[in-house]
Amino acid sequence: MSGTTPIPVERVQTGVRLEKRLLKVLKALAEHKDMTLGDLIEGIVLHAFDGKQAFSPETLAVIAQLKAIYGLDLDASASHRLQDAAED
């Protein structure tokens, strides 16, 4: 599916839990791109489903800066290993 014709969709509200610093970086990136967090996540997922890179080299540089700002030291190797911290 390609082109610039809008595609009507039905969106639903969800209660997704995300790692706190990851969410901060995603929100800041969405703000930088002047888009909603939901639109950003949809774009990332659609690219991933097609096996495509979601971000240009320029955007990856912005992401690296945002990761440093928010102390996000996780990368793809952390996937499937994140565990909720023990509550006191």
Side-chain angles (χ1 to χ4, degrees):
M1 197 170 256
S2 63
T4 59
T5 305
I7 302 168
V9 296
E10 179 182 353
R11 290 192 167 106
V12 296
Q13 194 67 28
T14 181
V16 175
R17 290 168 32 102
L18 297 171
E19 198 279 333
K20 185 177 181 177
R21 297 166 298 165
L22 179 59
L23 179 59
K24 286 181 179 183
V25 170
L26 286 170
K27 284 176 144 181
L29 182 60
E31 177 70 24
H32 174 77
K33 293 288 198 180
D34 195 27
M35 61 187 349
T36 68
L37 178 60
D39 286 341
L40 178 67
I41 293 171
E42 285 174 345
I44 293 168
V45 171
L46 289 171
H47 278 79
F49 283 176
D50 283 351
K52 296 181 178 178
Q53 172 65 271
F55 302 113
S56 68
E58 295 81 12
T59 301
L60 290 172
V62 171
I63 291 169
Q65 292 173 339
L66 293 171
K67 286 176 70 173
I69 290 168
Y70 292 107
L72 180 59
D73 56 357
L74 303 173
D75 60 20
S77 69
S79 181
H80 306 293
R81 296 189 302 125
L82 302 179
Q83 178 178 348
D84 287 339
E87 295 184 24
D88 295 327

